[in-house]
């Protein structure tokens, strides 16, 4: 019994400082929500760069007549990621589909589903994202429909 309690204390002390349970729950949520599936470089090409986990995808999503959108950097890097975003900004983007600048997220971001997160889980996810090591990784800008993309992308074709 004593050994189990001691091992638990050691495990918890290695977690980031922002509420241990919140960050652990947030990490779990990011995994089951598959944030890394779109937001990790190389993931969509079958060669994920785990050293840049959720630092922004390099394969975009084309929405016909709208443009090509590349999954942004979700690490707290202040220049290329969410470093200047508050937890409330992250929660609003994930659950309401709106960035701090007012732009609505691309429809490929499943924020409608994520909008069902309870407030505690949304806060845990934001706490986890804020706890990560900042990674500088600028993803390609939105490519308007009339422009040629500089990076690979997936597209939706209507039957």
């Amino acid at each position: 019994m004593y050994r189990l309690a001691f091992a638990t204390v050691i495990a918890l002390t290695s977690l980031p400082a922002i509420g241990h349970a919140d960050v652990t729950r947030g990490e779990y949520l990011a995994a089951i929500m598959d944030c890394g599936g779109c937001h990790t470089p190389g993931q969509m090409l079958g060669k994920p760069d785990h050293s840049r986990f959720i630092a922004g995808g390099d394969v975009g999503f084309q929405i016909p007549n709208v443009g090509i959108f590349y999954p942004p950097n979700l690490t707290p890097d202040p220049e290329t990621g969410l470093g200047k975003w508050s937890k409330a900004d992250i929660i609003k983007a994930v659950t309401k589909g709106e960035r701090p600048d007012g732009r609505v997220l691309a429809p490929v971001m499943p924020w409608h589903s994520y909008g069902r997160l309870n407030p505690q889980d949304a806060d845990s996810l934001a706490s986890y994202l804020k706890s990560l090591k900042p990674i500088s990784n600028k993803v390609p800008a939105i490519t308007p429909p009339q422009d040629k993309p500089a990076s690979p992308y997936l597209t939706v074709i209507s039957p």
Side-chain angles (χ1 to χ4, degrees), residues 19-131:
H20 303 307
D22 293 344
V23 171
T24 301
R25 176 77 177 165
E27 181 178 19
Y28 164 76
L29 291 166
I32 66 168
M33 293 165 69
D34 196 22
C35 298
C38 294
H39 295 270
T40 298
Q43 183 71 38
M44 303 280 274
L45 299 171
K47 297 178 182 180
D49 180 352
H50 298 293
S51 70
R52 296 188 298 156
F53 177 69
I54 68 171
D58 49 5
V59 175
F61 295 90
Q62 181 185 44
I63 299 170
N65 302 316
V66 178
I68 301 170
F69 299 82
Y70 292 86
N73 183 344
L74 300 182
T75 74
D77 181 68
E79 300 307 316
T80 66
L82 304 179
K84 294 179 182 174
W85 291 31
S86 68
K87 280 182 22 175
D89 292 336
I90 294 169
I91 292 168
K92 187 174 184 181
V94 170
T95 63
K96 306 278 189 232
E98 186 178 328
R99 294 168 41 97
D101 62 9
R103 184 171 65 79
V104 175
L105 299 180
V108 295
M109 170 62 181
W111 65 264
H112 292 287
S113 296
Y114 299 163
R116 295 177 180 243
L117 286 169
N118 66 47
Q120 191 172 19
D121 281 346
D123 187 72
S124 293
L125 178 64
S127 293
Y128 169 67
L129 295 175
K130 295 292 273 181
S131 78

